[in-house]
Coordinates of all heavy atoms in Angstrom, one line a residue:
Q305 N -17.6 -83.0 -3.1 CA -16.7 -81.9 -3.6 C -15.3 -82.3 -4.1 O -14.6 -81.6 -4.6 CB -16.5 -80.9 -2.4 CG -17.7 -80.2 -2.0 CD -18.6 -80.9 -1.0 OE1 -18.4 -82.0 -0.5 NE2 -20.0 -80.4 -1.0
M306 N -15.1 -83.5 -4.1 CA -13.9 -84.1 -4.6 C -13.9 -84.0 -6.1 O -12.9 -84.3 -6.8 CB -13.6 -85.6 -4.1 CG -13.2 -85.7 -2.7 SD -13.2 -87.3 -1.9 CE -11.5 -87.8 -2.5
G307 N -15.0 -83.5 -6.8 CA -15.0 -83.2 -8.1 C -14.1 -81.9 -8.4 O -13.8 -81.7 -9.6
S308 N -13.8 -81.2 -7.4 CA -13.1 -80.0 -7.5 C -11.6 -80.3 -7.3 O -11.2 -81.0 -6.3 CB -13.5 -78.9 -6.4 OG -12.4 -78.2 -6.0
D309 N -10.7 -79.8 -8.3 CA -9.2 -80.0 -8.2 C -8.7 -79.5 -6.7 O -7.8 -80.3 -6.2 CB -8.5 -79.4 -9.3 CG -8.9 -80.0 -10.6 OD1 -9.4 -81.1 -10.6 OD2 -8.5 -79.5 -11.7
A310 N -9.2 -78.5 -6.3 CA -8.6 -77.9 -4.9 C -8.9 -78.8 -3.9 O -8.1 -79.0 -3.0 CB -9.3 -76.5 -4.8
V311 N -10.1 -79.4 -3.9 CA -10.5 -80.4 -2.8 C -9.6 -81.6 -2.9 O -9.1 -82.2 -2.0 CB -11.9 -80.6 -2.7 CG1 -12.3 -81.6 -1.7 CG2 -12.8 -79.3 -2.4
L312 N -9.7 -82.2 -4.2 CA -9.0 -83.4 -4.5 C -7.5 -83.4 -4.1 O -7.0 -84.3 -3.4 CB -9.1 -84.0 -5.9 CG -8.6 -85.2 -6.2 CD1 -9.3 -86.4 -5.4 CD2 -8.9 -85.6 -7.7
A313 N -6.9 -82.3 -4.3 CA -5.6 -82.2 -4.0 C -5.1 -82.1 -2.6 O -4.0 -82.3 -2.3 CB -4.9 -80.8 -4.6
S314 N -6.2 -81.9 -1.8 CA -5.9 -81.7 -0.3 C -5.9 -83.2 0.3 O -5.6 -83.3 1.5 CB -7.1 -81.0 0.4 OG -8.2 -81.6 0.3
F315 N -6.1 -84.2 -0.4 CA -6.0 -85.6 0.2 C -4.8 -86.3 -0.3 O -4.3 -86.1 -1.5 CB -7.1 -86.4 -0.5 CG -8.4 -86.1 0.0 CD1 -9.3 -85.1 -0.5 CD2 -9.1 -87.0 1.1 CE1 -10.5 -84.8 -0.1 CE2 -10.4 -86.7 1.5 CZ -11.2 -85.6 0.9
D316 N -4.0 -86.8 0.6 CA -2.7 -87.5 0.3 C -3.1 -88.9 -0.1 O -4.1 -89.4 -0.1 CB -1.7 -87.3 1.4 CG -2.0 -88.1 2.7 OD1 -2.7 -89.1 2.5 OD2 -1.5 -87.7 3.7
A317 N -1.9 -89.6 -0.6 CA -2.2 -91.0 -1.2 C -2.8 -91.9 -0.2 O -3.6 -92.8 -0.5 CB -0.8 -91.5 -1.7
D318 N -2.4 -91.8 1.1 CA -2.8 -92.8 2.1 C -4.3 -92.4 2.6 O -5.1 -93.2 2.8 CB -2.0 -92.5 3.5 CG -0.6 -93.2 3.4 OD1 -0.4 -93.9 2.5 OD2 0.2 -92.7 4.1
E319 N -4.6 -91.2 2.5 CA -6.0 -90.7 2.6 C -6.9 -91.2 1.6 O -8.0 -91.8 1.8 CB -6.2 -89.3 2.9 CG -5.5 -88.7 4.2 CD -5.4 -87.2 4.1 OE1 -5.4 -86.6 3.1 OE2 -5.3 -86.7 5.3
L320 N -6.5 -91.1 0.3 CA -7.3 -91.7 -0.9 C -7.4 -93.2 -0.7 O -8.4 -93.7 -1.0 CB -6.6 -91.3 -2.1 CG -6.6 -89.9 -2.4 CD1 -5.9 -89.6 -3.8 CD2 -8.0 -89.4 -2.6
D321 N -6.3 -93.9 -0.4 CA -6.2 -95.4 -0.1 C -7.3 -95.7 0.9 O -8.0 -96.8 0.8 CB -4.9 -95.8 0.1 CG -4.9 -97.4 0.0 OD1 -5.5 -97.9 -0.9 OD2 -4.1 -97.9 0.7
A322 N -7.3 -95.1 2.0 CA -8.2 -95.2 3.2 C -9.7 -95.3 2.7 O -10.5 -96.1 3.1 CB -8.2 -94.2 4.3
I323 N -10.1 -94.5 1.9 CA -11.4 -94.3 1.3 C -11.7 -95.1 0.1 O -12.7 -94.9 -0.6 CB -11.9 -92.9 1.2 CG1 -11.1 -92.1 0.2 CG2 -12.0 -92.2 2.6 CD1 -11.7 -90.6 0.0
Q324 N -10.8 -95.9 -0.3 CA -10.7 -96.8 -1.5 C -11.1 -96.0 -2.8 O -12.1 -96.4 -3.6 CB -11.8 -97.9 -1.3 CG -11.5 -98.8 -0.1 CD -12.4 -99.9 0.2 OE1 -12.5 -100.4 1.3 NE2 -13.3 -100.3 -0.8
W325 N -10.4 -94.9 -3.0 CA -10.7 -94.0 -4.1 C -10.4 -94.7 -5.4 O -11.1 -94.5 -6.5 CB -9.7 -92.8 -3.9 CG -9.9 -91.8 -5.1 CD1 -9.0 -91.5 -6.1 CD2 -11.1 -90.8 -5.2 NE1 -9.5 -90.5 -7.0 CE2 -10.8 -90.0 -6.3 CE3 -12.2 -90.6 -4.6 CZ2 -11.5 -89.1 -6.8 CZ3 -13.1 -89.6 -5.1 CH2 -12.7 -88.9 -6.1
D326 N -9.6 -95.7 -5.4 CA -9.1 -96.4 -6.6 C -10.4 -97.1 -7.3 O -10.5 -97.3 -8.4 CB -8.0 -97.4 -6.3 CG -8.3 -98.4 -5.3 OD1 -9.2 -98.2 -4.3 OD2 -7.9 -99.6 -5.5
S327 N -11.2 -97.7 -6.5 CA -12.4 -98.5 -7.0 C -13.7 -97.8 -6.8 O -14.7 -98.3 -7.1 CB -12.4 -99.7 -6.2 OG -12.7 -99.6 -4.8
L328 N -13.7 -96.4 -6.3 CA -15.0 -95.9 -6.0 C -15.9 -95.7 -7.3 O -17.1 -96.0 -7.1 CB -14.6 -94.4 -5.5 CG -15.9 -93.6 -5.0 CD1 -16.7 -94.3 -3.8 CD2 -15.5 -92.2 -4.6
E329 N -15.3 -95.4 -8.4 CA -16.3 -95.2 -9.5 C -16.9 -96.5 -9.9 O -18.2 -96.5 -10.3 CB -15.4 -94.6 -10.8 CG -16.1 -94.1 -11.9 CD -15.3 -93.4 -13.1 OE1 -14.2 -93.0 -12.6 OE2 -15.8 -93.4 -14.1
Q330 N -16.1 -97.6 -10.0 CA -16.7 -98.8 -10.3 C -17.7 -99.3 -9.3 O -18.8 -100.0 -9.7 CB -15.5 -99.9 -10.3 CG -16.1 -101.3 -10.7 CD -15.0 -102.4 -10.2 OE1 -13.7 -102.2 -10.3 NE2 -15.6 -103.5 -9.8
E331 N -17.5 -99.0 -8.0 CA -18.4 -99.5 -7.0 C -19.6 -98.7 -7.1 O -20.8 -99.2 -6.8 CB -17.8 -99.3 -5.5 CG -16.5 -100.3 -5.3 CD -16.1 -100.3 -3.9 OE1 -16.9 -100.7 -2.9 OE2 -15.0 -99.9 -3.7
M332 N -19.5 -97.4 -7.3 CA -20.7 -96.5 -7.5 C -21.6 -97.1 -8.7 O -22.8 -97.2 -8.7 CB -20.4 -95.1 -7.8 CG -19.8 -94.4 -6.6 SD -20.9 -93.9 -5.3 CE -21.8 -92.6 -6.1
A333 N -20.9 -97.5 -9.8 CA -21.6 -98.0 -11.0 C -22.4 -99.3 -10.6 O -23.3 -99.6 -11.3 CB -20.7 -98.2 -12.1
N334 N -21.9 -100.1 -9.6 CA -22.4 -101.3 -9.3 C -23.5 -101.2 -8.2 O -24.0 -102.3 -7.6 CB -21.4 -102.4 -8.9 CG -20.4 -102.8 -10.0 OD1 -20.9 -102.7 -11.3 ND2 -19.4 -103.3 -9.8
S335 N -23.9 -100.0 -7.9 CA -24.8 -99.8 -6.7 C -26.1 -99.0 -7.1 O -25.9 -98.2 -8.2 CB -24.0 -98.8 -5.6 OG -23.0 -99.6 -5.1
V336 N -27.1 -99.2 -6.5 CA -28.2 -98.4 -6.5 C -28.2 -97.4 -5.5 O -27.6 -97.5 -4.3 CB -29.6 -99.3 -6.5 CG1 -29.6 -100.1 -7.8 CG2 -29.8 -100.0 -5.3
D337 N -29.1 -96.4 -5.4 CA -29.3 -95.4 -4.3 C -30.1 -96.2 -3.2 O -31.1 -96.7 -3.4 CB -30.0 -94.2 -4.8 CG -29.2 -93.2 -5.6 OD1 -28.2 -92.8 -4.9 OD2 -29.2 -92.9 -6.8
Y338 N -29.6 -95.9 -2.0 CA -30.5 -96.1 -0.8 C -31.7 -95.6 -1.0 O -31.9 -94.4 -1.3 CB -29.6 -95.6 0.4 CG -30.4 -95.6 1.7 CD1 -31.4 -96.5 2.0 CD2 -30.0 -94.6 2.6 CE1 -32.0 -96.4 3.2 CE2 -30.7 -94.6 3.9 CZ -31.7 -95.5 4.1 OH -32.3 -95.4 5.4
D339 N -32.8 -96.4 -0.7 CA -34.3 -95.9 -0.9 C -35.1 -96.3 0.3 O -34.5 -97.0 1.2 CB -34.8 -96.4 -2.1 CG -35.9 -95.5 -2.7 OD1 -36.4 -94.7 -2.0 OD2 -36.4 -95.6 -3.8
I340 N -36.3 -96.2 0.3 CA -37.1 -96.4 1.5 C -37.8 -97.8 1.1 O -38.2 -98.1 0.1 CB -38.3 -95.4 1.6 CG1 -37.6 -94.1 2.1 CG2 -39.3 -95.7 2.7 CD1 -38.4 -92.8 2.0

Side-chain angles (χ1 to χ4, degrees):
Q305 290 77 19
M306 291 171 83
S308 150
D309 292 342
V311 176
L312 187 57
S314 67
F315 290 80
D316 67 28
D318 289 339
E319 290 168 335
L320 291 173
D321 193 37
I323 59 173
Q324 298 181 202
W325 183 252
D326 62 320
S327 61
L328 183 63
E329 192 173 337
Q330 179 199 324
E331 292 190 65
M332 293 284 285
N334 289 341
S335 298
V336 300
D337 279 300
Y338 167 28
D339 206 343
I340 295 169

